[in-house]
Amino acid sequence: MTRDFKYYWGIIVLGEIFFLVFLTSFFPDAWLMVINPILISVLYLTTTIGVERHRKQMIWIAACLLVAQAIFKGFNFPIIEAISKVLNIAYFSIIVVVLITQISSAREVDQRVILQAINGYLLLGLVYSFMVGLMLQVDPQSFNFSDTHPSDLREPIYFGFVTFATLGYGDLLPLKPYAKSLSILIAVSGQLYIAVIIALLVGKFASRK
């Protein structure tokens, strides 16, 4: 995989995450039922292409998960929605670990590595958003969210990223103890990611000098 391909791949992934996280809120509710699954499916494929090691295995895993999720969409059951979120959490968690590994093994800091760091950060925030959505589906009283369809990710994404960035407006709150524990995990890991990745990037840049 050439450096140019890795760079453009990083830009494409960043654009997809940006669209899913920041722009889908501007669409009507009825559209989101179609747009969100398509965006997540495309994100499955593009993130897999950028894996440097064990790419074939990851492509098979992504393909199997996409087929499973396509089958799940044919059944409108809460348990199916929950399983779909669990699969998203598991897959994108693996991708975040892969990106961190690729950053740590990079010999020098360039645009490609910086894009991987940004994408890893946003994907980790997306993972926590799926966790919030899953917890909200299992127990609708765990957060003070308004009644939304399980496929609607807008409020989970909003709460997940606001907490991940330790901003905390206070308009959406965890109510149950396990929801509060998840919120603590999101906030702490958000700071740890920044600290660890910046330390890695600065260390590599300093060693190169």
Side-chain angles (χ1 to χ4, degrees):
M1 188 184 297
T2 63
R3 286 180 176 269
D4 289 340
F5 178 83
K6 293 177 183 177
Y7 174 69
Y8 290 119
W9 167 82
I11 292 179
I12 292 172
V13 173
L14 180 60
E16 292 173 359
I17 300 172
F18 184 87
F19 192 89
L20 176 62
V21 173
F22 301 108
L23 298 182
T24 52
S25 296
F26 294 96
F27 290 92
D29 294 348
W31 293 19
L32 296 179
M33 301 293 291
V34 177
I35 292 176
N36 282 341
I38 292 176
L39 287 175
I40 294 173
S41 299
V42 172
L43 199 57
Y44 263 73
L45 298 176
T46 50
T47 51
T48 305
I49 293 173
V51 175
E52 296 177 358
R53 297 178 183 177
H54 309 293
R55 187 182 306 157
K56 291 183 179 180
Q57 292 87 336
M58 290 298 299
I59 290 176
W60 276 107
I61 292 173
C64 292
L65 291 178
L66 284 175
V67 171
Q69 298 224 35
I71 295 173
F72 291 163
K73 290 300 179 183
F75 303 92
N76 190 19
F77 297 119
I79 186 64
I80 298 300
E81 291 284 350
I83 293 175
S84 178
K85 287 185 174 66
V86 170
L87 293 178
N88 289 335
I89 292 168
Y91 178 76
F92 287 120
S93 296
I94 294 173
I95 293 297
V96 170
V97 172
V98 169
L99 288 177
I100 294 175
T101 303
Q102 292 179 178
I103 293 169
S104 61
S105 61
R107 295 184 177 181
E108 60 183 29
V109 179
D110 54 14
Q111 294 175 327
R112 171 185 61 88
V113 175
I114 294 175
L115 275 173
Q116 287 182 348
I118 296 172
N119 288 334
Y121 181 82
L122 294 176
L123 282 174
L124 186 56
L126 193 59
V127 167
Y128 285 131
S129 300
F130 286 128
M131 288 184 179
V132 172
L134 178 61
M135 185 173 290
L136 189 65
Q137 183 176 348
V138 174
D139 182 5
Q141 304 302 319
S142 56
F143 296 87
N144 68 334
F145 293 4
S146 59
D147 294 333
T148 57
H149 191 274
S151 298
D152 190 354
L153 293 175
R154 287 178 295 186
E155 287 192 334
I157 285 177
Y158 170 72
F159 178 83
F161 275 91
V162 166
T163 307
F164 192 53
T166 65
L167 180 59
Y169 285 117
D171 52 343
L172 300 179
L173 299 171
L175 302 179
K176 297 296 180 66
Y178 40 84
K180 294 178 181 179
S181 296
L182 177 60
S183 301
I184 294 172
L185 174 64
I186 295 173
V188 172
S189 59
Q191 296 303 301
L192 286 177
Y193 183 95
I194 294 175
V196 171
I197 295 301
I198 288 180
L200 279 173
L201 296 179
V202 171
K204 290 180 180 296
F205 184 79
S207 63
R208 182 184 177 187
K209 289 295 183 180

